Amino acid sequence: MGDSSQQLLDFLQNVALFACPLIAYVFLFKSRQKFRSCQGQYSIADWNFFLKKWWVRWKLRQPQLCHRPTTVGPVVELMATQADEDREKLRTLAKEKEVDSMAISGTDHKGNSIHLKITRKQHNITEVWLHVQLEDGSVYQLPGHPDTTIQSNNKSSWSGGGLKFHICEPLRRWRITFNGLLRHGVKHKGNIQDKENDVIVHVQFRFIWTACSDVIDIQRDWSTELMCNALAREPWRNGKWMKMRKQIGEGYDQWGTLQGTWTLGSDSNNVKELYLRGIRQRRYGTDEVVKKKE
């Protein structure tokens, strides 16, 4: 009887030695958490943050190893490969809310900037963003902006509203052209319906976008430690927590330069040469904007 009691006491002592530090840690963390405020959009780490972080790191280990890029980028390779061509191909929009978009931006030290974006959707629906600001402060947009939706045949090309993206070399060079009408000035919310005072001008521009960096995959080429920290801070209410990493979408970024001419009207004296530095972004997947509107 005495031996049994001693064994029970030893067992309880071992449990207490393990449980007391854990309980103290939880209470200390909870008491400190009351005095901490959430910084913007960032969630406050819970008491089991480090355990969740370890689990996330273990779950991400195999995907990171499996999808690690094995080919060098265009900065090193001179000739495009078949993998490069496959990556640049137009995506097949099989689902109702699936989209495929490309955005090209550039700016210089003088104040010239340009932002172009084409988003392909099903049923030949295309969203086109075109915003150009010159060093004198003048701004040019499509006449229908902020309504960016147009109807065009987008199954075989990046085009819409007079704006065209044409691939020259996969992941290396693109040709960007526009020939059409733009509105001079920004449309404010109070006068969206007022089109009588719009200043519509004819504009042509031609640019060559040239890559200056390798491709940066937005799912695979960012810090695993940063991903672990972000996922471990989120609440895990069900087994779908790993899908949160898909919220940033699929695609890639690439730095480059835009070089070409901007022509206002038909006067050859209004030709302006531009050399802009910026980024090209490719995104594809589900249109999250449509989801939020439902």
Side-chain angles (χ1 to χ4, degrees):
M1 185 68 179
D3 294 340
S4 300
S5 300
Q6 186 62 37
Q7 291 178 358
L8 180 60
L9 289 175
D10 292 341
F11 173 75
L12 293 176
Q13 184 179 8
N14 293 331
V15 171
L17 290 175
F18 173 78
C20 287
L22 180 61
I23 295 173
Y25 170 76
V26 172
F27 275 100
L28 179 62
F29 193 91
K30 288 292 185 181
S31 62
R32 292 178 59 187
Q33 192 177 35
K34 294 179 181 179
F35 301 99
R36 297 170 60 192
S37 59
C38 186
Q39 300 294 328
Q41 299 294 327
Y42 296 98
S43 302
I44 298 175
D46 208 347
W47 66 270
N48 55 353
F49 169 75
F50 295 103
L51 181 61
K52 291 166 66 177
K53 183 178 177 181
W54 173 84
W55 180 252
V56 173
R57 186 182 289 110
W58 184 81
K59 293 288 288 184
L60 291 178
R61 179 177 175 82
Q62 186 172 357
Q64 288 287 333
L65 291 177
C66 292
H67 299 298
R68 190 178 299 278
T70 56
T71 59
V72 292
V75 174
V76 180
E77 289 284 351
L78 296 178
M79 301 297 294
T81 64
Q82 185 61 45
D84 297 337
E85 295 181 7
D86 294 340
R87 194 167 205 173
E88 292 276 44
K89 283 183 179 179
L90 293 170
R91 296 282 167 171
T92 301
L93 306 178
K95 299 179 181 179
E96 184 66 25
K97 299 176 183 178
E98 200 168 6
V99 299
D100 186 12
S101 71
M102 183 184 299
I104 299 176
S105 302
T107 186
D108 63 11
H109 67 284
K110 299 178 181 179
N112 299 302
S113 63
I114 187 170
H115 176 72
L116 311 171
K117 183 178 181 181
I118 296 178
T119 301
R120 301 170 50 249
K121 296 185 176 183
Q122 279 198 333
H123 313 299
N124 289 329
I125 296 176
T126 306
E127 287 188 3
V128 181
W129 288 73
L130 192 158
H131 182 94
V132 178
Q133 181 170 338
L134 301 180
E135 57 183 304
D136 60 1
S138 57
V139 176
Y140 298 88
Q141 297 176 335
L142 289 173
H145 193 89
D147 183 7
T148 60
T149 303
I150 61 175
Q151 197 80 17
S152 66
N153 185 9
N154 59 15
K155 294 182 179 180
S156 59
S157 64
W158 292 98
S159 61
L163 179 64
K164 296 180 180 180
F165 298 161
H166 177 73
I167 187 170
C168 300
E169 295 180 79
L171 301 180
R172 289 153 180 80
R173 293 172 68 243
W174 282 77
R175 181 184 295 112
I176 296 99
T177 61
F178 177 81
N179 186 1
L181 300 177
L182 295 180
R183 183 183 65 236
H184 183 196
V186 179
K187 201 79 168 179
H188 297 287
K189 185 180 294 186
N191 62 345
I192 291 179
Q193 302 300 328
D194 181 17
K195 297 184 179 180
E196 295 182 359
N197 297 323
D198 290 352
V199 179
I200 306 298
V201 295
H202 180 257
V203 173
Q204 299 182 62
F205 59 75
R206 298 178 179 87
F207 292 103
I208 293 294
W209 182 89
T210 305
C212 295
S213 75
D214 294 339
V215 171
I216 303 173
D217 191 290
I218 63 173
Q219 280 287 342
R220 303 167 189 169
D221 293 336
W222 64 304
S223 170
T224 304
E225 187 69 17
L226 181 62
M227 187 186 300
C228 293
N229 273 286
L231 291 177
R233 289 176 182 272
E234 296 299 322
W236 296 358
R237 297 186 177 90
N238 51 47
K240 299 180 179 180
W241 58 270
M242 275 292 289
K243 293 185 178 180
M244 287 189 289
R245 63 192 292 259
K246 297 294 184 181
Q247 292 179 359
I248 61 176
E250 298 279 350
Y252 49 88
D253 298 342
Q254 198 173 16
W255 290 97
T257 60
L258 279 168
Q259 186 171 8
T261 58
W262 163 278
T263 305
L264 183 61
S266 57
D267 189 357
S268 59
N269 295 325
N270 287 330
V271 178
K272 185 180 183 66
E273 293 188 2
L274 296 174
Y275 182 82
L276 311 173
R277 296 177 175 88
I279 191 171
R280 181 174 73 97
Q281 296 180 305
R282 179 80 182 275
R283 297 290 186 271
Y284 42 84
T286 304
D287 189 355
E288 295 295 333
V289 177
V290 176
K291 273 188 174 182
K292 292 178 181 179
K293 288 183 179 179
E294 289 185 344

